[in-house]
Amino acid sequence: ALGIFLSDTMLLLLSYFGIAQFIQEDSKLQIILGFIGALFLLFYGFYSFLKTKSYSKQNKEIKLTINWLNVFSEIIKGFFINIMNPALWLLWFSIVTTQTSGNDRSCALAFMLGIVIVTLSTDILKSFFANRISAILSPNVVYVINKIMGIVLIGFSVYMLISTIQLIAI
């Protein structure tokens, strides 16, 4: 979870201070990337919302031992696995480009920070509670969590879509 958060944050910063500064001059490209980013969030939100229940529950007891020397390597693995996803690059570029044009800097940063915090929070919660609440984490609970996460992502997508449409009006 920490590796994914770090790579998302790095991509956000690279997008914001790098390519987004050049893309802001081209309003057509901003609009295209805005729609692409909104569609990514929308599809992922619908995927999460429409995910069906999984009834395969294993009753095996897992003993978890943490080798603290390998924790750093696991963070690095998460970082590189996440950062090598080309769709993620396109998603962050489109989100940053759309949210930085026409908005003041604090509003744009708050929006992007909100997405990163939601991602980090859900990843940490999944990691932390995975072994601790297996009795509570029934297929129905996972189903409800996916529905809530889907709705939140769809909400971010709608907000981004509205921001992109406002670019067209300008």
Side-chain angles (χ1 to χ4, degrees):
L2 187 56
I4 291 169
F5 169 75
L6 292 173
S7 66
D8 281 344
T9 303
M10 188 183 93
L11 285 175
L12 182 141
L13 292 172
L14 283 173
S15 299
Y16 187 72
F17 293 112
I19 196 167
Q21 301 301 322
F22 299 108
I23 293 175
Q24 285 180 352
E25 304 299 323
D26 187 358
S27 63
K28 289 180 186 177
L29 190 55
Q30 287 177 4
I31 292 168
I32 291 168
L33 287 175
F35 281 122
I36 289 171
L39 287 175
F40 266 108
L41 288 174
L42 186 67
F43 285 136
Y44 189 65
F46 275 119
Y47 172 77
S48 296
F49 185 78
L50 298 174
K51 192 182 269 188
T52 59
K53 293 181 185 178
S54 173
Y55 292 102
S56 63
K57 188 166 180 159
Q58 298 177 351
N59 291 328
K60 294 180 183 178
E61 184 177 324
I62 299 173
K63 292 187 178 188
L64 181 65
T65 58
I66 297 174
N67 181 349
W68 291 104
L69 297 175
N70 291 330
V71 170
F72 182 71
S73 70
E74 293 299 320
I75 291 171
I76 296 297
K77 285 179 192 175
F79 177 87
F80 282 111
I81 287 172
N82 195 50
I83 208 161
M84 289 180 169
N85 182 353
L88 189 67
W89 286 78
L90 183 59
L91 174 68
W92 278 114
F93 287 150
S94 58
I95 288 172
V96 168
T97 302
T98 303
Q99 294 308 310
T100 56
S101 57
N103 291 329
D104 61 80
R105 180 174 269 184
S106 61
C107 181
L109 289 175
F111 177 79
M112 293 179 289
L113 185 63
I115 291 176
V116 172
I117 288 173
V118 166
T119 303
L120 176 63
S121 300
T122 56
D123 286 345
I124 287 174
L125 288 173
K126 287 187 291 186
S127 298
F128 183 74
F129 288 115
N131 289 325
R132 290 173 175 78
I133 60 168
S134 61
I136 299 171
L137 207 57
S138 68
N140 287 335
V141 172
V142 172
Y143 182 75
V144 170
I145 290 171
N146 283 333
K147 296 289 183 195
I148 292 169
M149 188 175 91
I151 290 169
V152 169
L153 289 173
I154 291 168
F156 276 122
S157 173
V158 168
Y159 178 81
M160 191 169 168
L161 190 60
I162 290 169
S163 297
T164 302
I165 291 170
Q166 288 175 344
L167 285 176
I168 295 171
I170 293 176

